[in-house]
Structures are given as structure tokens and as C-alpha cells.
Amino acid sequence: MSGPMAAQWGQQPTGNLSTLVDPNLSEVIGILHQRYQAQHIYTNIGDILLSVNPQQTIPLYGSRVGDFYRDVPSAVSQQPHIFMTACRAHRNLQIHNRDQAILLSGENGSGKTEAVKILVSQFGRLSTVTPHQGPPQSDVASLLNAAMSLLEEFGNADVGINRNSSRHGKLVDLAWDDGKLVGAEIMVWGLEKNRVMFSEPGEKNFHVFYRMLVGFDQEMLTRHKHHQSYRILEPSDGGQIYRDVSDAEENKAHYTYLREYLNTLGIEHQTFRSGRQTAGNAIFEVLSALLHLGNIHFAPDPESDAAFVANQTEVEAAADLLGVQAQDISGLFLTRFGYSGGQRMMYRRDTSGASLTRNSLVRHIYFQLFEWVVKMINNRLAPPVQYRHKSKQLKTVGILDLPGFENLRTNSLEQLHFNLAEERLQDQVTELVFRQEFYDLETDGIKVENTNFRDNSEVLDAFYDSNIGLLRLIDENSDPSPNSEMALLNDISKRHSMKSSVVKTDPTSNTFMVIHHRGQVIYNIEVLLTKNRPVSVRTFDALLEYSQKPLLHELMSTPHDRRSRRSSQADDTPDDLTLTQKHAEALRAMFRRLEGREMQHVWCIRPNMTLQPGVFDADVVARQLTAMNVVEAARIRSIGYPVRITIRDFIDRYRFVGFPLSARIDSPQGACHRVIRKAGIPDGGWQVRQRKVMLAWWHQDYLDTALERALRHVIFVQSRLRGYVARRKFHRMRRHFRADKDELSDFLEDVSDHSLRTYYACQAQSDHNTREIERQYTGRDGGRGQIRTYSDRVGRDSHYSRSGYGGQSEVYNDYIDQSLDDNTTFKQTVLHDVTSKRDLDPITWCKVICMEYDRPVGKFYVQKREIHIDGTYNPFDGDRVGIGVFRNPERSRTTETIRAYLGQGLILHHDTDGSIWAKRLSNNEVIVQGYDDPGNHSLSADVILNKGVLFSPVDFLMASL
């Protein structure tokens, strides 16, 4: 080994058990013991990581070590470390483009919880671009570490053999986008909610209760009505809540951390809709209420044995903190409703029934609070909006941490669930490490010496068999009948004891025994069935529905469930599913999420049973190594082929290592040989068969390193090609921009010129009008000493009259409609401009174009003084034309209607002074276009003021030249 870590690691016994020639249990234990004494707690079994819990803090972590393993291309020559497992999963995620999963297995106290946090911290480092850029960890990793620490406070407890034992399972899914950690989700399973009300001797309740009790200041203690005695926190052996002063101080410090976790995740100061309370304070109000509920004591009525509350002050304290009425809580505990003879009846509970209802309410509220905390955490960890789009497919790395194997003095439902989950996980590991490998080797004709690994399939069959499975028998006998315990015992004895080698019964002690792969466990039937029975939560939710506390409404179930509660909120009918059924379904859902992922394995070992650091108990370790098939795994990793890839997938994944981008592959097997040799893998230790490529575990590191190198070359070529394409696109866009700029410049220049010409034309017109007015009003009229009126001008043709006009428009018309002399410069300029631009003959005064749907269908030129245009089919004869004569193959019903609408049409008349008049003959309106743009059209004021409408029988002056 070389690099900055060499001095720290030193020379130690082999760090890879797969290099042993013929491994045995004694040899493996000796190697692990020597490495443990040197604080080398990690050992490889090929690609499997073996971790021995040091029971203390050791200097194997931090940014320096994490960055070192981040840059290591292969684990072959390096000391084993859990950071390398994270790096391998991250690299496989990017190179193989497949979701990853890391499975942590081990019994209670083996260090799985801490391993999850260590993995998350390394994934945070891997999320940055380079080791020298960005923060040491991503924001998501920091939030996730705070989230898992918060879940430890609510979901972990001191169980004697492990002071921070996870009492729930979790799957931490990390969401990645192009190698960057962008979000996470935590899926929890199987919270041991019965612990809220009862814990075994030597064990404690969940951490959060002890944190807050010693962390509250005097004001909080008074507000929450706290005192020094709580039944659910006091040890069953009569001891103190805290072991000693240092234990109390440690819990007080953790309370500060707890509030910091809530603040980091945005929960502490989160407000509800009412805005009256923050979530941080509301959480501790609910927890304080649970302490008071747990203190409620019931006593029997001497006359009826019906229960009554012996300490009403605790009920009132809990009711105040929950925001409900005290009599509602008492009524829930002391009475129940049912039906008899079709009528609804109320029954009084005895002390046992009242206590069970109280316990169920406390467990229900705490479980709902735990689920709500998980929901708030996942809302905070969710990927940003830009990553949640359906087209954005994020990759995931899952870290599975299930509760470890347990064997206590009294084992009941929780231990059965935890141990069954551990069996499922072990079966998953056995399938991946042993069964699949032997099947693939046998299918491809490779003979490997048989390895006698321990298979736990018989244990799973004993639980999950559809006919005689233990889970089915437990559910069938969970009804509260007096003989249910004996019936279950008889069913197990009849269907299992005589047939199964893993299930035994003991009628004398009302127990049954299961020989798990980690050891035999005796389960108490009475306690197990009591905890498994369905509990009605409708009445609990009906109580909380009327709470004045907003958090209690947040803890309610879905709206659908809320509607069903309203319909039968006083009915004590239990829920349909037992606790075992709920846990089994949730466990199946968790394992379904792992299907199709590439797996990494971390096997955790507990070195002793006394929590002492530095103590390596060979017997304890040997039991765990045997249960986990460590020796068999070392042997199969030594002689087998743990990496088995189909030939097609191998070529698709690694073809760039041995072939150019455009190469054609004719022989798949030959191509696989070439890729393997190009990657620098020596001959021997690998095979290319008909179906799959068989490789040793370290061969994949070589291939992935070679692929990364080849991909860098591919990326280099692609970057150059993309740069070339981008430059061409840029030059093309620049040419278009310059052309558009020139066109725009020409257009603006034309607009400027046209504006100037229009201005000069208007100025000339204004000067002309001024002279005409002066001539009319001063008598300068060629010898006639009177003012020339409008009627004088139009008197030459009495057919066109101006009747109906008056006011200012008449005077205004007098300004603009006077004739111009033929030799006027203005007229000559306008005439030249029109004829040159419109390609008209000077004697042609009108060009008529017939349009349909903005498409011209006909045109003609008018040279006579007058033209009649109508909707008939008359061809153009110089004096009259009908627009129906123009042919249009695409003419529709709409355009035909418009032709008929025109009717008798209109007459256009051209005066000798250049003015153009229009007379409407049809009863329908005719619009003169251009009335809204007088700057570009020479129109009379009447046309403009009437918005282009020709009113029959009045004539309008349309243009004047």
C-alpha cells in the first residue's frame, strides 16, 4: 500500500479472507482478532466487507481518509474500509447506470446504525465535483445525518446489551443526478411501539423521553405539569430513571442536540395553519401528555368490578396537553360500545380492559407522532422541483438497516418480527452470494467444489407457508378467546413439531421455540398473541379529531379513513389487520424496492456481549461467523466467480475498453477476451462461457478503471466535436444576425425616407390649402369677387351631392377637397411616386384587385372616369364589372356568401382634379380599408371620422391627389 494512509495502517495480517488457500473458522477468528487489536476493524471477503464493532471512537474516519478512498481506483491494494464500499456503489451507479443497494446485516449491537451514518457522510463527499472543490459534504448529506440522528432519538432505546439499539428498520434511499446527491428518502419499518408502555428489566423506553425530562427548563416543566415519577420511564426493577449524574448530564446534552436536529430540518419553528404554536413545542407537549397518560391508574368498583380512574389529576394534565376534554379521555378508557340484538349498547370496562385501552392509546399516538416526524424529514430531504419532473430519471443508492437478531429473557411479538426480518435479509444474502453463483457455474458447466453453507430456507418456509406457516397460525388464533393460547400451541405442535426441524413446542411453559440461523429463540405465546390482536383506532382518532392542538390533527390518518371514522366513531370494532400482517406487508414492500439493484454487502460483527471496548470474545464472534457463513463465503470468493455478467451486457458496458466507437463486433466471445486483456487483467481466474463472463471480484475494479479511462477519451472527443458543432452554429447565427441587422437598417432607412416624403407632402398640402382658403376668403378668384363654396365645385355634376353634411366636417372638407392645378409640383410628385412604385400607366387612375382569404383571384385597371363594381357575374367591359366572374377553385360557401352580400355594389368616380368619390348602391355596409392609417392613405375626414363606413346614399371622398 502506498499513499498518505500507509503509515497509519502499517503491516497487518491479510485484509482479504478470500486470499486464504483453505480457510477455516479458527484461522479466520485469529486474523480478525489480530486486526481488531490493532484497531483495524474492517476486513474484506472479496467484495464483501466484514466490520467488527470497536465499541469506541477510533480515528479511521474524517475528510482526510474519505478523500483518500475517494481517489482510489481499486480496492485490491488498499486496506479495507467502509468508505470503499460507498465509493464502489457510487462508481457502479455512474458506470453501470444501475440503481445500487448496500445491505447491512448483523445482530443487535454489531454497529449497523453507526455504519449507516458513516456511509452517508462518505456519499456526501462523493457528491462534490472534486476533493478540492465545494464543501466537504453536500447539504443533503448534512440534512440526512441530522435526520438519522433525530430518528435515533424517537426510534432507538437502551436495551442493556446495546445502549443505542434501533427499535425499527429503515431503508435510506439516496437520489443521484449525474453523480450529485440531490435528495433522499427514509422508509421505516416495524417500530416497536409496545416499548412506549412496557420494557423488559434492564431496558429503557425510547431516548426522547429521557432527553426532554432532564432538558426542560423550569418554565417548560411547569407548563407541561411534570413531576419526578413516571411509570413508563421507571425501571421495572425499581431503580432510578437515570443511572447516575453523568447519565443525566449526557441526556441533557442530547436534548440540546435534539432541538438542533429539529431546527436543522426545519421542524423546530414550523407553524401550523392556526399559527398559534410551533411544531417543536407541539411535539414535546404530545410527549409530555403520553407520560401523564401512562401514569393513569385504574381501580375496581367494589360493587360491580367496573374500573374507575384513581388519579384524575393525571387525566386532567393529559387532556390539557392534548387539547381535549378530560371526561372524553375517561369515557374512552372506562366504557366501550357494541351491539346486542341490533341495538347499540354501552358497556363498562374492568381494570384490565381500561389498562389495555390506555396502553393502546399511548402506543397509537406515539406511533402516529413517529410517522409524522418521518414524513416531515422526507419532505425536507425531497429532491428540488427541477429533479422531480417525470422525464428526469434519478438513480438511487439504498442503504438497508434492519433490526438485528435478538434473544431476550422474554421474547414476544417484537422479537419475532425482528428475527424474521433478519431471516429475510440473510436469505437475500444467501441467494446472492451462494445460490445464484452455484446455479450459474453449474449451468455454464464449471465444476466447483461444493461448499456446505448454511441455508435458512427451512426457517422461512416454517413462517411463510400458506397452509401451516407460523404467521398464519398466529393470526388465526389472535382472537381474544380464553383458549386462543392453547389452540395456537396445539396447532404448532400438530403441524410443525412432528415435521419441522426448526420449530418445537413446550406445553408446560406455554411457549414454542424456533431454531433461527443465528440460534434458537423461545417465544412466549400469551404475550405474543396479546400484542398481535387488532386494536380499534377509530375511537382514538375520533377523540383526537376534536383536539384544540393543531399537531394532533396532523397525526390523523387519511381523509378517507377520517370519513369512515365519522360514520362509526363510537364503534369499538377492531381493525381488520393484525400487527403481524401489517409488518409482513411492510417488509415485503421494503424488499420489493431493492429488486433489480446491484448489491453491496456489509456484515457487522459484535465482538462481545458486555459493551467493553477492546474485548474480543472468540466464542461470541465464532457464533456470528458461523451463522453468517463467513468461512464458506471466503472459500467461494476464492475459488468461484462472484462477478457474473451476461455476454451481451458485458459488451454493452465495456466495449469502449477494447474497441473504437464505430467498430463492428462479429464474435461476442472473442470481443470479451479482447476487452479483458485490454483492461490489464492477467490470464487465469476468469472465463468466458456461452452465457456469461465469469470474473473474480477484483477484476471488475480493473474493468471499471479501464472503462473510466476510455470514457475520458470518448468524452474528450465528444467535447471537441460538440465544440466544433457549437462554433458552426455560432457562426451561422452570427451571419443571420448580421443579415437581419442589415435588413433592419434598410427597413428603418426606408421608413425614415418615407416619413420625410410624407412630411413634405403633408406640408405641401397644408400650404396649398392655406392658399386656397386665402384665395376664397379674400376674393382672389380670377375676377369673381365672391367666396367659392363646396356646392360651386360640385355643381358641375349634380348627380354627386353632399347633402346631409354639416358642422365642422363640412368646413373641414372645404379645406382638403379642393382641386389642384395639373402643373402643381405636389400633384406631379405624387403621381410619379404612385406610377413608379405600382407599375401603372399615368392615365390609369385605379387598380382593382379582388381578394378571397387574402389571396388575389383577379385584377383590372380603370381608365374611365367612373366604374361600377357589384356582386354579379358580368365581365369587365370598362364601365362595369362583377366580382363573381373571377374564378377560384377553392371558393367556399363563406366567400360565396360575401359575394352575394356585396349586392349592387358601389360606384367609384374620378374627378378631373384628382379626387376619387365612392357611392354605395347596396343596402349592406362597405368599409374603406386604411381609414385607421391616414398617414399612409390620402382619405377625407368623413371616411376617417366614420371609421371607413360608406353610408347610403351619401358619397364619400376617398382620395385626393
Side-chain angles (χ1 to χ4, degrees):
M1 176 180 178
S2 60
M5 301 302 297
Q8 179 176 341
W9 294 115
Q11 299 298 324
Q12 292 296 327
T14 179
N16 196 331
L17 300 181
S18 65
T19 61
L20 301 178
V21 178
D22 187 15
N24 57 70
L25 184 60
S26 299
E27 184 180 11
V28 170
I29 291 177
I31 293 174
L32 294 180
H33 190 190
Q34 293 182 54
R35 294 180 61 80
Y36 184 78
Q37 294 300 324
Q39 295 189 344
H40 296 170
I41 63 173
Y42 298 115
T43 305
N44 283 332
I45 313 174
D47 56 340
I48 301 171
L49 183 68
L50 201 62
S51 172
V52 183
N53 189 356
Q55 308 281 15
Q56 61 180 329
T57 302
I58 55 178
L60 291 183
Y61 311 102
S63 300
R64 179 170 174 263
V65 182
D67 291 340
F68 169 76
Y69 278 96
R70 174 182 183 162
D71 298 331
V72 172
S74 173
V76 177
S77 60
Q78 305 301 329
Q79 280 288 344
H81 202 288
I82 195 170
F83 284 167
M84 198 65 208
T85 303
C87 295
R88 183 182 296 114
H90 182 259
R91 182 175 58 188
N92 291 350
L93 184 75
Q94 295 181 282
I95 296 179
H96 303 169
N97 199 29
R98 284 184 59 188
D99 292 342
Q100 304 290 308
I102 301 177
L103 307 183
L104 290 91
S105 57
E107 66 180 37
N108 195 350
S110 59
K112 300 189 301 297
T113 301
E114 290 299 320
V116 174
K117 292 191 288 187
I118 294 171
L119 286 169
V120 169
S121 67
Q122 181 65 2
F123 279 123
R125 298 184 188 94
L126 295 172
S127 178
T128 56
V129 179
T130 66
H132 308 292
Q133 294 181 0
Q137 295 189 17
S138 70
D139 293 338
V140 177
S142 301
L143 292 174
L144 191 54
N145 276 316
M148 290 188 297
S149 298
L150 182 62
L151 286 183
E152 286 183 23
E153 300 297 329
F154 284 87
N156 287 27
D158 185 344
V159 296
I161 61 173
N162 182 5
R163 294 184 179 176
N164 189 32
S165 174
S166 295
R167 312 313 297 168
H168 64 282
K170 60 179 176 289
L171 172 62
V172 182
D173 259 339
L174 309 178
W176 298 83
D177 178 66
D178 294 332
K180 180 182 179 182
L181 183 61
V182 297
E185 181 185 7
I186 300 177
M187 180 180 183
V188 297
W189 169 86
L191 177 69
E192 187 191 12
K193 57 184 179 181
N194 286 304
R195 179 171 293 273
V196 183
M197 288 303 301
F198 177 78
S199 56
E200 293 288 337
E203 299 184 6
K204 288 189 174 185
N205 211 318
F206 293 107
H207 292 326
V208 64
F209 292 107
Y210 304 95
R211 313 302 197 210
M212 74 172 190
L213 193 60
V214 73
F216 280 171
D217 56 22
Q218 189 59 45
E219 190 271 336
M220 291 283 285
L221 291 173
T222 303
R223 189 198 313 169
H224 294 174
K225 301 176 176 59
H226 278 298
H227 45 76
Q228 298 300 319
S229 177
Y230 291 104
R231 188 180 64 84
I232 65 176
L233 300 184
E234 293 174 351
S236 58
D237 55 7
Q240 299 295 321
I241 294 180
Y242 302 101
R243 296 186 183 90
D244 48 35
V245 176
S246 62
D247 184 29
E249 291 297 327
E250 181 181 354
N251 279 277
K252 186 175 182 180
H254 277 281
Y255 173 77
T256 304
Y257 302 149
L258 172 59
R259 302 303 290 248
E260 291 178 358
Y261 301 148
L262 291 171
N263 185 56
T264 300
L265 295 167
I267 302 176
E268 174 70 28
H269 301 290
Q270 176 182 338
T271 57
F272 301 99
R273 293 182 180 178
S274 63
R276 297 194 303 263
Q277 191 180 36
T278 61
N281 292 330
I283 289 172
F284 291 104
E285 274 194 356
V286 172
L287 294 174
S288 299
L290 297 184
L291 293 179
H292 290 293
L293 288 174
N295 269 6
I296 296 176
H297 177 66
F298 303 101
D301 189 321
E303 297 181 359
S304 62
D305 288 336
F308 69 89
V309 177
N311 49 350
Q312 187 65 25
T313 56
E314 296 287 3
V315 177
E316 294 174 354
D320 181 62
L321 292 170
L322 292 177
V324 298
Q325 298 296 320
Q327 58 267 28
D328 291 340
I329 295 181
S330 299
L332 176 65
F333 292 160
L334 302 179
T335 60
R336 67 180 181 87
F337 292 88
Y339 291 89
S340 177
Q343 294 185 349
R344 184 168 174 267
M345 306 289 292
M346 184 182 75
Y347 303 93
R348 293 293 301 273
R349 302 183 194 270
D350 57 13
T351 55
S352 176
S355 298
L356 288 176
T357 305
R358 175 204 62 199
N359 298 347
S360 299
L361 176 62
V362 173
R363 288 194 293 262
H364 176 65
I365 294 177
Y366 189 82
F367 178 74
Q368 293 298 105
L369 178 62
F370 181 79
E371 292 282 306
W372 180 83
V373 170
V374 174
K375 176 184 175 182
M376 294 299 102
I377 288 174
N378 286 331
N379 289 343
R380 186 68 177 87
L381 296 176
V385 178
Q386 62 266 30
Y387 297 107
R388 299 182 213 166
H389 195 272
K390 292 183 179 180
S391 63
K392 193 73 173 179
Q393 187 65 33
L394 299 178
K395 293 299 178 181
T396 57
V397 175
I399 306 174
L400 181 64
D401 173 24
L402 294 178
F405 175 79
E406 288 187 346
N407 186 10
L408 309 178
R409 281 175 288 185
T410 301
N411 300 289
S412 61
L413 192 64
E414 294 82 12
Q415 284 68 46
L416 184 140
H417 289 159
F418 290 171
N419 293 341
L420 181 57
E422 214 279 336
E423 292 284 358
R424 285 289 305 271
L425 179 59
Q426 181 62 30
D427 179 70
Q428 182 86 2
V429 173
T430 303
E431 176 70 20
L432 296 172
V433 176
F434 296 102
R435 298 196 198 108
Q436 286 187 6
E437 180 157 356
F438 281 122
Y439 173 79
D440 289 339
L441 295 178
E442 183 179 349
T443 303
D444 278 317
I446 301 176
K447 294 183 178 181
V448 179
E449 180 183 353
N450 188 22
T451 301
N452 297 320
F453 62 91
R454 300 182 63 180
D455 196 336
N456 66 332
S457 56
E458 187 177 359
V459 179
L460 292 175
D461 291 340
F463 276 97
Y464 287 105
D465 188 279
S466 59
N467 296 320
I468 63 172
L470 288 175
L471 296 183
R472 177 174 180 177
L473 297 180
I474 291 172
D475 289 336
E476 289 177 349
N477 292 278
S478 291
D479 60 289
S481 61
N483 300 322
S484 58
E485 292 87 356
M486 186 57 64
L488 176 59
L489 190 64
N490 292 335
D491 286 343
I492 294 176
S493 177
K494 178 181 177 181
R495 303 185 185 185
H496 283 277
S497 295
M498 300 300 178
K499 302 177 182 180
S500 174
S501 60
V502 298
V503 180
K504 305 294 180 182
T505 58
D506 185 2
T508 60
S509 60
N510 202 23
T511 61
F512 69 93
M513 180 182 68
V514 177
I515 304 176
H516 293 277
H517 80 282
R518 288 185 177 272
Q520 61 184 24
V521 180
I522 298 176
Y523 297 98
N524 185 292
I525 291 180
E526 180 181 1
V527 180
L528 188 148
L529 290 181
T530 301
K531 294 180 178 180
N532 189 57
R533 286 172 184 142
V535 178
S536 174
V537 300
R538 297 187 183 95
T539 53
F540 301 156
D541 290 341
L543 171 68
L544 301 178
E545 187 174 6
Y546 296 100
S547 170
Q548 301 299 317
K549 304 295 183 179
L551 177 58
L552 271 299
H553 291 280
E554 293 284 339
L555 302 186
M556 301 280 286
S557 303
T558 62
H560 173 76
D561 296 333
R562 193 176 297 123
R563 288 193 297 269
S564 66
R565 286 197 303 273
R566 293 195 183 102
S567 63
S568 59
Q569 63 182 17
D571 186 7
D572 285 338
T573 304
D575 292 345
D576 296 332
L577 297 179
T578 64
L579 192 58
T580 294
Q581 291 171 332
K582 294 177 181 178
H583 282 197
E585 177 57 33
L587 188 63
R588 282 193 291 268
M590 185 171 288
F591 275 97
R592 279 197 298 268
R593 294 189 66 166
L594 298 177
E595 293 178 356
R597 303 191 186 189
E598 289 186 2
M599 303 293 181
Q600 307 288 332
H601 302 279
V602 178
W603 295 355
C604 301
I605 302 294
R606 182 188 182 102
N608 59 74
M609 302 301 294
T610 58
L611 302 178
Q612 297 182 31
V615 176
F616 188 92
D617 190 328
D619 294 334
V620 173
V621 174
R623 174 178 54 80
Q624 298 173 73
L625 296 180
T626 302
M628 300 171 73
N629 292 313
V630 170
V631 176
E632 290 74 15
R635 183 175 293 112
I636 193 64
R637 283 294 186 262
S638 175
I639 64 177
Y641 302 95
V643 180
R644 302 174 302 280
I645 310 174
T646 63
I647 290 180
R648 179 176 180 179
D649 290 343
F650 184 88
I651 294 176
D652 290 342
R653 183 183 302 175
Y654 296 113
R655 64 174 297 160
F656 293 149
V657 175
F659 294 91
L661 297 176
S662 58
R664 177 180 177 181
I665 297 177
D666 297 323
S667 173
Q669 283 80 6
C672 293
H673 281 85
R674 177 173 177 174
V675 168
I676 292 173
R677 291 190 172 92
K678 283 284 187 178
I681 300 176
D683 292 338
W686 54 270
Q687 296 190 41
V688 178
R689 311 297 292 185
Q690 294 296 322
R691 296 171 53 251
K692 293 185 177 182
V693 178
M694 308 291 187
L695 303 168
W697 66 271
W698 55 273
H699 290 162
Q700 190 168 21
D701 288 341
Y702 273 72
L703 287 167
D704 289 342
T705 302
L707 180 60
E708 286 181 332
R709 186 166 53 250
L711 288 178
R712 282 196 296 269
H713 296 161
V714 172
I715 293 173
F716 177 80
V717 174
Q718 289 178 341
S719 65
R720 293 299 184 271
L721 181 60
R722 291 192 184 101
Y724 170 74
V725 173
R727 284 191 296 273
R728 288 194 60 185
K729 182 178 180 180
F730 169 76
H731 290 308
R732 184 168 59 253
M733 292 176 62
R734 186 170 63 178
R735 287 196 302 271
H736 291 168
F737 170 78
R738 290 175 176 174
D740 293 341
K741 182 180 178 182
D742 294 340
E743 291 180 3
L744 179 61
S745 178
D746 295 340
F747 170 75
L748 294 177
E749 186 176 352
D750 290 343
V751 170
S752 177
D753 295 342
H754 182 72
S755 300
L756 288 175
R757 288 197 299 271
T758 303
Y759 170 78
Y760 293 140
C762 292
Q763 185 66 38
Q765 179 70 45
S766 177
D767 295 342
H768 168 75
N769 292 340
T770 301
R771 289 194 299 272
E772 286 294 314
I773 292 172
E774 291 177 351
R775 183 165 57 87
Q776 294 175 12
Y777 282 92
T778 58
R780 291 181 299 174
D781 192 26
R784 290 183 297 172
Q786 58 182 358
I787 299 176
R788 187 180 179 187
T789 64
Y790 177 79
S791 57
D792 294 332
R793 188 185 61 80
V794 300
R796 293 169 296 178
D797 194 346
S798 60
H799 179 71
Y800 293 90
S801 65
R802 297 286 294 174
S803 60
Y805 286 83
Q808 293 181 352
S809 62
E810 179 68 21
V811 177
Y812 180 71
N813 289 339
D814 286 342
Y815 294 166
I816 65 176
D817 64 357
Q818 303 303 318
S819 62
L820 295 173
D821 185 70
D822 290 342
N823 296 324
T824 303
T825 304
F826 173 74
K827 178 178 178 181
Q828 295 297 330
T829 301
V830 173
L831 181 62
H832 177 269
D833 181 65
V834 171
T835 56
S836 62
K837 285 193 174 183
R838 302 302 179 186
D839 192 23
L840 299 177
D841 191 275
I843 64 173
T844 301
W845 63 273
C846 180
K847 178 180 180 181
V848 180
I849 301 176
C850 181
M851 308 282 291
E852 293 186 15
Y853 290 122
D854 294 332
R855 298 176 60 183
V857 296
K859 62 182 178 179
F860 55 91
Y861 299 91
V862 181
Q863 297 179 349
K864 295 185 178 182
R865 293 187 59 189
E866 190 172 278
I867 182 67
H868 182 194
I869 304 174
D870 56 25
T872 64
Y873 291 89
N874 296 325
F876 177 56
D877 58 2
D879 295 323
R880 184 171 184 168
V881 65
I883 64 173
V885 74
F886 302 114
R887 296 182 180 181
N888 182 15
E890 298 181 1
R891 180 166 293 158
S892 63
R893 183 178 300 174
T894 302
T895 55
E896 182 64 24
T897 303
I898 295 175
R899 183 197 64 77
Y901 175 88
L902 184 60
Q904 296 182 12
L906 73 159
I907 295 176
L908 296 179
H909 180 79
H910 180 219
D911 277 352
T912 57
D913 61 358
S915 300
I916 300 175
W917 299 82
K919 180 177 182 181
R920 194 185 73 190
L921 303 178
S922 173
N923 292 326
N924 298 320
E925 291 183 352
V926 176
I927 307 296
V928 178
Q929 288 191 1
Y931 71 88
D932 55 348
D933 188 16
N936 291 315
H937 299 82
S938 182
L939 301 175
S940 67
D942 301 297
V943 174
I944 298 172
L945 294 175
N946 291 282
K947 297 183 178 180
V949 179
L950 301 183
F951 293 99
S952 179
V954 180
D955 306 329
F956 278 81
L957 178 64
M958 294 181 58
S960 178
L961 297 179

